[in-house]
Amino acid sequence: EGVEKIKITPAARKLAQENGIDYTNLSGTGPGGRITREDIEKAIAGLAPEPAKRE
Amino acid sequence: MRKRIVIIGGGPGGYVAAIRGAQLGAEVHLVESDRLGGTCLNIGCIPTKTLLHTAELYRIVKNGAKIGLKTDGLRVEWPVLMKRKEAVVNSLVQGVTALLKANKVAVYKGHAVLQDERTVKIDAPTPQTLSADAIILGVGSVPVKPPFPGADLPNVLDSTAALSLPEIPSSLVIIGGGVIGTEFAALYNSLGTKVTVVEMLPEILPAVDGQIVSVIKKDLSSRGVDFLTEARLSEVRDAKKGLTAKVLTGQNQLEINGEYVLVAVGRRPNTENLGLESVGVKTEKGAILVNEHFETNVPGIYAIGDCNAQTMLAHVASAQGIRAVEHALGYRSFYNRKVLPYCIYTSPEVAGVGLTEEQARNQGLSYRTGIFPLAGNGKSIIEHCENGLVKIIADTKYKEILGVHIVGPHATDLIAEGALAISLEATVEELIALIHAHPTISEAVAEAAHAVIGNPIHWPPGVKKDIM
Amino acid sequence: MRKRIVIIGGGPGGYVAAIRGAQLGAEVHLVESDRLGGTCLNIGCIPTKTLLHTAELYRIVKNGAKIGLKTDGLRVEWPVLMKRKEAVVNSLVQGVTALLKANKVAVYKGHAVLQDERTVKIDAPTPQTLSADAIILGVGSVPVKPPFPGADLPNVLDSTAALSLPEIPSSLVIIGGGVIGTEFAALYNSLGTKVTVVEMLPEILPAVDGQIVSVIKKDLSSRGVDFLTEARLSEVRDAKKGLTAKVLTGQNQLEINGEYVLVAVGRRPNTENLGLESVGVKTEKGAILVNEHFETNVPGIYAIGDCNAQTMLAHVASAQGIRAVEHALGYRSFYNRKVLPYCIYTSPEVAGVGLTEEQARNQGLSYRTGIFPLAGNGKSIIEHCENGLVKIIADTKYKEILGVHIVGPHATDLIAEGALAISLEATVEELIALIHAHPTISEAVAEAAHAVIGNPIHWPPGVKKDIM
Ligand SMILES: Cc1cc2nc3c(=O)[nH]c(=O)nc-3n(C[C@H](O)[C@H](O)[C@H](O)COP(=O)(O)OP(=O)(O)OC[C@H]3O[C@@H](n4cnc5c(N)ncnc54)[C@H](O)[C@@H]3O)c2cc1C
Ligand SMILES: Cc1cc2nc3c(=O)[nH]c(=O)nc-3n(C[C@H](O)[C@H](O)[C@H](O)COP(=O)(O)OP(=O)(O)OC[C@H]3O[C@@H](n4cnc5c(N)ncnc54)[C@H](O)[C@@H]3O)c2cc1C
């Protein structure tokens, strides 16, 4: 049970990869905490301070 | 301290909010002046779909010679169907009553008004006031009654009256080609009524994707429904048998005869006599203005469902009710206004979610479409229903699914996959990679996704798909 | 250089691989000894579902008095239905023929064998050899013929013969309660045949979630299908009228009479006389062994669909065909073996995807289930089909959806949403947050998701849900 699963939407993943965003540190705002495209857009715009790493 | 929530209106907005509030531990009070279940259960979704279920089975089987059915003597027993409609409605209303009781929601029968920002007054039968930490308004909508000459003639109907006719009419003129008008057209056409639909706009079903509209319109036309578009009702008059509707189309004046005229030109928020002004709740053209939590300008007062006029659908009312009560109780809540599916229970069915092509174009988005005609889908051929199609709209860059539109068998259940795809921000690749069971209509969803970026498997390359 | 792909077998595995290969620019050759479309189109999915479509409409409408239908004189015209079945099959086979032509696939009629690792020999009508960069085997499966005494009596049928009976039988004994046996039971029961199903195992439909099985079994039983489980056929004998099947259940010996006995105890890979041994392709109990790209131990030779015996379903064959040809042509490809939906076209329908509760338990997973009975779903009540349920299995930690199982109207189309949910690793929160259209059966999916972590909206708190 070591690794925590990261939930991210397919569109968000594409966007993150293209913009070199490390989404493993983001906490998502979708239901159940999924990272959404909007979360990545905010990260690209530098809006969302990336929260502390998951334990 | 348990929070007290008072809800006005027991439709799918109000009763669902009440149950959700109770589930979350609130003390919930619900006031309903008429029957629990609101428009939806009593005079909307449920009775229309009950009638349509029998009518469409009847039509399909009546035309069943080709699929091996011999149908001498098949007919609809209208009085039995009317009773069944009552029975279904009653059982669902009783179900809601029982659910509210099981969830310990206090239900009051009477007309409620806002007395102040935290108090609701019930005026009948025994006047009483309820104080609240939050108030949720779910007062619904009522049919718009345009004031044309003849509007008050006895055989001029609204949608409620059209559910309880003494017998199947020989002919019917429907004013308004929106969802409700179109469903009634399908219903009575299937039952053998001569139906004419009169629509003011250039096309029926204005909110639906244009290519989908042309399929369903062609289908209904081929079954004998007459559509008059850009046509305006000027007057209804008594005729020898039934009524005559005078209609202007361009320069022409037409007279259409019908046993009844059904007026289905829209619904408006039911926000009069609610005390909104006295507590300062803002409205626009009768619709209560709300923020993204469905809270009005008066903090602690929410307005959900038809009365805020955002999207007049039962499941949207329920979803807003859940969101409002969750917000009132301090929970984080999700409401994705991009993912509000709609359904039209014609046969074939119509359903859609997300952007139509017209919306994508008007918003100036860079998009691509993929279409798969059900003539290439085995199950549609088995169900003798090859005229449908699935249309997907995806953004050009990431191929993210923006809209899914279906006209075909089971469209109203199939649309859930499209809704999930949009809400999870899926791309066409994920829909293509998903293995869809065979033989199902849902295979056409993957094929339409395929068509966005290339060629579907079951359609010849280079053959135009969008002309049915 | 265009790659040359040679495909043996024109079923849903082979013909779809051929089209996909052609789409990707390969030179594709397809050899089929019988009719294009394989088992699925000619004697499997398509003819069974065509017969079931008419039979289920007939049964529903025949019992339509409650929903307002008067049905004196309604009957099935068997010869017309037989012709329709042929017509549907022929139109789909012609469709496949046309698709292959439009995609410029070279089609050969004849029996093919592997000559060496890169050569296929066709022996009829004019012998010829085809060289290939990759060979895809899509040779399908054939019915298992257990060798009981009486197996060769004329009225002992396999599934193919059971599709073309001269008239609707008065009685039918079905050996085998798998998907095919159960569908034939539903089919002939709906048409008025007295049906008995004999199953060796403790329960019918062994791969289906147990709670789902009990619902559909109860439903079919209440309509008159007799099920004998832990029952073994020992012999079939000619009787005065029809046949007598001797069946052992525990200590008892039963004699069941039927006009026909249908043997539907499974299918086995059709891998004899294919030259597998000569080129060294490994098999196990007749099934061709493959890796995750469906490539055999001989590089460049692939085996897809029923002949590798992984999952004997048409859409799985097609998906494997696509993956195999994409891999052979150097493309990256996706195949998620966790998301292979299955459908059973009884009425109500059954469909499932992902893990059953039995599988989750046997794998030692930490899981929770959520159940929503369709008695709480308005559309199911409208469709007079309240006995169904939706069951969701989710992992305890993330609430990720692991399995979705449905018995109810339109289950076969509804399952696509469940499949998408599992493939996108959606959680119950996401299914709950998704707004499902009203009134649809799909609302029950969100309710079942709700039931995993709390209480659905439309079911009273604390009332047991899993006992129907
Ligand atoms: C013919 C027809 C068919 C339809 N079919 C569909 C369909 O298939 N799918 C779909 O999604 N939608 C359908 N709709 C729309 C759907 O019925 C509405 O969107 C839905 O009912 C709105 O729910 P609501 O809770 O906002 O309001 P309502 O259902 O209108 O409920 C409001 C309730 O509030 C009560 N009330 C109002 N004022 C007061 C007061 N002051 N005090 C106490 N009680 C009060 C009313 O008596 C009523 O019961 C249909 C509508 C019609 C007319
Ligand atoms: C009664 C019945 C109902 C079914 N219903 C469903 C259903 O509803 N849904 C579903 O998913 N599945 C269903 N199935 C299963 C489905 O039909 C099979 O899983 C599917 O057809 C497998 O596809 P395939 O391409 O692997 O093989 P097949 O469809 O069996 O095709 C193999 C083809 O290869 C040809 N062939 C074999 N050997 C050679 C050779 N040496 N040279 C040339 N040609 C050769 C055969 O003639 C055949 O046409 C049903 C099966 C049956 C029997």
Side-chain angles (χ1 to χ4, degrees):
Chain A
E1 297 256 13
V3 201
E4 291 286 319
K5 218 164 181 167
I6 293 159
K7 296 272 182 193
I8 180 167
T9 74
R13 191 184 300 112
K14 280 188 181 176
L15 184 65
Q17 280 164 355
E18 186 161 308
N19 289 277
I21 299 286
D22 175 12
Y23 56 78
T24 56
N25 292 342
L26 287 178
S27 73
T29 60
R34 190 181 294 267
I35 300 166
T36 66
R37 190 165 40 77
E38 204 179 303
D39 295 332
I40 301 295
E41 281 164 359
K42 281 189 180 151
I44 292 168
L47 288 179
E50 294 184 4
K53 259 203 177 307
R54 292 156 188 270
E55 40 266 28
Chain B
M1 260 290 291
R2 275 175 87 197
K3 286 217 180 176
R4 265 172 82 98
I5 307 279
V6 174
I7 299 172
I8 305 183
Y15 90 74
V16 168
I19 293 172
R20 186 70 188 136
Q23 288 183 344
L24 295 174
E27 181 189 315
V28 183
H29 302 257
L30 176 79
V31 193
E32 167 59 56
S33 59
D34 196 349
R35 304 227 314 165
L36 286 171
T39 303
C40 171
L41 263 65
N42 292 289
I43 53 169
C45 328
I46 297 301
T48 49
K49 271 83 240 181
T50 304
L51 299 182
L52 279 159
H53 177 64
T54 296
E56 295 302 350
L57 272 176
Y58 169 73
R59 186 182 61 81
I60 288 167
V61 171
K62 191 81 193 168
N63 295 308
K66 281 185 201 154
I67 64 167
L69 292 170
K70 181 107 185 141
T71 61
D72 314 328
L74 182 68
R75 52 165 220 272
V76 171
E77 295 208 279
W78 189 245
V80 177
L81 181 51
M82 287 292 109
K83 287 216 187 79
R84 173 169 202 239
K85 180 199 67 178
E86 295 305 324
V88 169
V89 166
N90 288 339
S91 94
L92 288 176
V93 170
Q94 277 159 28
V96 168
T97 311
L99 281 172
L100 290 169
K101 195 170 170 196
N103 281 285
K104 302 201 173 58
V105 173
V107 176
Y108 304 80
K109 168 112 194 165
H111 179 89
V113 293
L114 294 173
Q115 180 162 308
D116 62 39
E117 299 187 5
R118 291 290 174 271
T119 316
V120 166
K121 201 172 93 188
I122 313 176
D123 63 0
T126 34
Q128 125 179 60
T129 58
L130 299 170
S131 68
D133 296 306
I135 297 171
I136 298 177
L137 307 173
V139 292
S141 62
V142 289
V144 169
K145 275 192 156 192
F148 54 85
D152 291 327
L153 287 171
N155 286 356
V156 174
L157 314 169
D158 64 9
S159 63
T160 306
L163 293 169
S164 301
L165 298 179
E167 45 191 69
I168 298 169
S170 59
S171 55
L172 176 65
V173 180
I174 300 177
I175 312 298
V179 174
I180 294 176
T182 303
E183 285 187 349
F184 274 105
L187 170 64
Y188 283 109
N189 167 266
S190 290
L191 296 171
T193 304
K194 172 72 210 145
V195 175
T196 309
V197 175
V198 178
E199 169 61 51
M200 226 167 62
L201 297 175
E203 192 47 282
I204 62 164
L205 300 171
V208 177
D209 189 279
Q211 274 177 301
I212 301 288
V213 174
S214 50
V215 174
I216 188 65
K217 194 178 169 193
K218 200 163 158 184
D219 208 277
L220 287 170
S221 300
S222 75
R223 281 195 240 148
V225 177
D226 280 337
F227 290 96
L228 297 174
T229 49
E230 299 188 85
R232 185 184 290 271
L233 179 74
S234 57
E235 181 183 355
V236 175
R237 278 203 305 226
D238 261 324
K240 247 174 287 169
K241 207 180 166 299
L243 301 169
T244 299
K246 288 189 153 193
V247 171
L248 289 164
T249 56
Q251 308 291 31
N252 300 322
Q253 165 111 343
L254 297 176
E255 306 216 331
I256 314 158
N257 293 313
E259 209 175 322
Y260 299 94
V261 171
L262 163 58
V263 180
V265 296
R267 297 178 63 84
R268 61 175 178 78
N270 179 27
T271 52
E272 288 152 25
N273 310 318
L274 192 58
L276 291 176
E277 313 71 25
S278 67
V279 296
V281 172
K282 283 196 191 141
T283 60
E284 197 177 288
K285 293 188 194 151
I288 305 175
L289 294 171
V290 291
N291 67 15
E292 76 268 31
H293 306 297
F294 307 101
E295 198 169 13
T296 67
N297 61 305
V298 179
I301 301 187
Y302 297 78
I304 59 167
D306 283 11
C307 71
N308 68 34
Q310 286 187 1
T311 307
M312 289 194 174
L313 289 169
H315 46 285
V316 174
S318 298
Q320 294 181 352
I322 289 174
R323 274 53 172 188
V325 78
E326 287 180 346
H327 186 261
L329 295 172
Y331 287 82
R332 180 150 174 243
S333 185
F334 295 91
Y335 180 82
N336 188 343
R337 65 184 65 224
K338 289 185 190 164
V339 193
L340 305 177
Y342 70 84
C343 296
I344 312 177
Y345 291 79
T346 45
S347 167
E349 297 180 341
V350 175
V353 62
L355 299 182
T356 61
E357 181 162 3
E358 291 77 10
Q359 288 172 323
R361 194 187 301 130
N362 292 341
Q363 294 180 19
L365 299 179
S366 169
Y367 68 91
R368 287 163 80 161
T369 65
I371 286 175
F372 189 75
L374 295 186
N377 175 270
K379 189 72 189 319
S380 299
I381 292 169
I382 288 172
E383 297 203 16
H384 217 305
C385 197
E386 303 93 328
N387 293 332
L389 61 81
V390 176
K391 176 172 178 178
I392 289 182
I393 295 154
D395 91 294
T396 309
K397 187 155 184 208
Y398 296 107
K399 311 288 177 301
E400 183 177 339
I401 314 284
L402 303 177
V404 178
H405 305 277
I406 305 174
V407 48
H410 322 311
T412 61
D413 282 304
L414 286 165
I415 203 62
E417 181 191 7
L420 185 64
I422 298 177
S423 79
L424 291 181
E425 302 179 343
T427 69
V428 296
E429 282 95 343
E430 279 101 26
L431 281 189
I432 296 171
L434 183 65
I435 300 176
H436 288 74
H438 178 79
T440 62
I441 318 283
S442 75
E443 293 174 274
V445 174
E447 293 276 35
H450 218 142
V452 173
I453 54 167
N455 208 83
I457 297 287
H458 290 91
W459 201 258
V463 175
K464 215 160 156 22
K465 288 185 294 291
D466 45 2
I467 300 189
M468 296 295 99
Chain C
M1 259 291 292
R2 275 175 87 198
K3 284 217 182 177
R4 264 172 83 98
I5 308 278
V6 174
I7 299 172
I8 305 183
Y15 90 74
V16 168
I19 294 172
R20 186 71 187 135
Q23 287 183 343
L24 296 174
E27 180 188 316
V28 183
H29 301 259
L30 176 78
V31 193
E32 167 59 57
S33 59
D34 196 347
R35 302 225 317 163
L36 286 172
T39 304
C40 171
L41 263 65
N42 293 289
I43 53 170
C45 328
I46 296 301
T48 50
K49 272 81 238 182
T50 304
L51 298 182
L52 280 159
H53 178 64
T54 296
E56 296 303 350
L57 272 176
Y58 168 74
R59 185 182 61 81
I60 289 167
V61 171
K62 191 82 193 169
N63 296 308
K66 280 185 202 155
I67 64 168
L69 292 170
K70 182 107 184 139
T71 61
D72 314 328
L74 182 68
R75 52 165 221 273
V76 171
E77 295 208 276
W78 189 245
V80 177
L81 181 51
M82 287 291 109
K83 286 216 187 79
R84 174 170 201 239
K85 181 200 67 180
E86 295 306 323
V88 169
V89 166
N90 288 337
S91 93
L92 288 176
V93 170
Q94 276 158 28
V96 168
T97 310
L99 281 171
L100 290 170
K101 196 170 168 194
N103 281 285
K104 303 202 172 59
V105 173
V107 176
Y108 304 79
K109 169 112 193 166
H111 180 87
V113 293
L114 294 173
Q115 181 162 309
D116 62 40
E117 298 187 6
R118 290 292 174 270
T119 316
V120 166
K121 201 172 94 190
I122 314 174
D123 63 359
T126 33
Q128 132 178 53
T129 58
L130 298 171
S131 67
D133 295 307
I135 297 171
I136 298 177
L137 308 172
V139 292
S141 63
V142 289
V144 169
K145 276 193 155 190
F148 54 85
D152 290 327
L153 287 170
N155 287 355
V156 175
L157 314 170
D158 64 11
S159 61
T160 305
L163 293 169
S164 302
L165 297 178
E167 46 190 70
I168 298 170
S170 59
S171 55
L172 175 66
V173 180
I174 300 177
I175 312 300
V179 173
I180 293 176
T182 303
E183 285 188 349
F184 274 105
L187 169 65
Y188 283 109
N189 168 267
S190 289
L191 295 173
T193 304
K194 172 71 208 143
V195 175
T196 309
V197 175
V198 178
E199 168 60 51
M200 227 167 62
L201 297 174
E203 191 48 280
I204 62 163
L205 299 171
V208 177
D209 189 279
Q211 274 176 301
I212 301 287
V213 174
S214 51
V215 175
I216 188 65
K217 193 178 169 193
K218 200 164 157 184
D219 208 277
L220 287 170
S221 300
S222 76
R223 281 195 240 149
V225 177
D226 280 338
F227 289 97
L228 297 173
T229 49
E230 298 189 86
R232 184 183 290 271
L233 178 74
S234 58
E235 182 182 355
V236 175
R237 278 204 303 222
D238 262 322
K240 246 174 286 169
K241 207 180 166 300
L243 301 168
T244 299
K246 288 190 151 191
V247 172
L248 289 164
T249 57
Q251 310 291 32
N252 301 321
Q253 165 112 341
L254 297 176
E255 304 215 333
I256 314 157
N257 295 312
E259 209 176 323
Y260 297 95
V261 171
L262 163 59
V263 180
V265 295
R267 297 178 64 83
R268 60 174 178 78
N270 180 25
T271 50
E272 289 153 24
N273 309 319
L274 190 59
L276 291 176
E277 312 71 26
S278 67
V279 296
V281 172
K282 282 195 194 146
T283 61
E284 198 176 286
K285 291 187 195 154
I288 304 175
L289 295 171
V290 291
N291 67 14
E292 75 268 31
H293 306 297
F294 307 102
E295 198 170 14
T296 67
N297 62 304
V298 179
I301 300 186
Y302 297 78
I304 59 168
D306 282 12
C307 71
N308 67 35
Q310 286 187 0
T311 308
M312 289 193 174
L313 290 169
H315 44 286
V316 174
S318 299
Q320 293 182 351
I322 290 173
R323 274 51 172 188
V325 77
E326 287 179 346
H327 185 263
L329 296 172
Y331 288 83
R332 186 156 167 235
S333 184
F334 296 91
Y335 179 82
N336 188 342
R337 66 185 63 225
K338 289 186 189 163
V339 194
L340 304 178
Y342 70 84
C343 295
I344 311 177
Y345 291 79
T346 45
S347 166
E349 297 180 340
V350 174
V353 63
L355 298 182
T356 62
E357 181 162 4
E358 292 76 10
Q359 288 172 324
R361 192 187 304 128
N362 292 342
Q363 294 180 19
L365 299 179
S366 170
Y367 69 90
R368 289 163 79 160
T369 64
I371 287 175
F372 189 75
L374 295 186
N377 174 270
K379 189 71 188 322
S380 300
I381 292 168
I382 288 172
E383 298 203 17
H384 216 305
C385 198
E386 302 93 329
N387 292 332
L389 61 80
V390 176
K391 176 172 179 178
I392 288 182
I393 294 154
D395 91 293
T396 310
K397 185 162 184 199
Y398 294 106
K399 311 289 177 299
E400 182 176 330
I401 314 284
L402 303 178
V404 178
H405 305 277
I406 305 175
V407 49
H410 322 311
T412 61
D413 282 303
L414 287 165
I415 203 63
E417 181 191 7
L420 185 64
I422 297 177
S423 78
L424 293 180
E425 303 181 341
T427 63
V428 297
E429 286 97 338
E430 287 162 318
L431 281 189
I432 296 171
L434 183 65
I435 301 176
H436 288 73
H438 179 78
T440 61
I441 318 282
S442 75
E443 293 174 272
V445 174
E447 294 276 37
H450 219 142
V452 173
I453 54 168
N455 209 82
I457 297 287
H458 290 90
W459 200 259
V463 174
K464 213 160 157 26
K465 287 184 297 290
D466 46 3
I467 299 188
M468 297 293 100

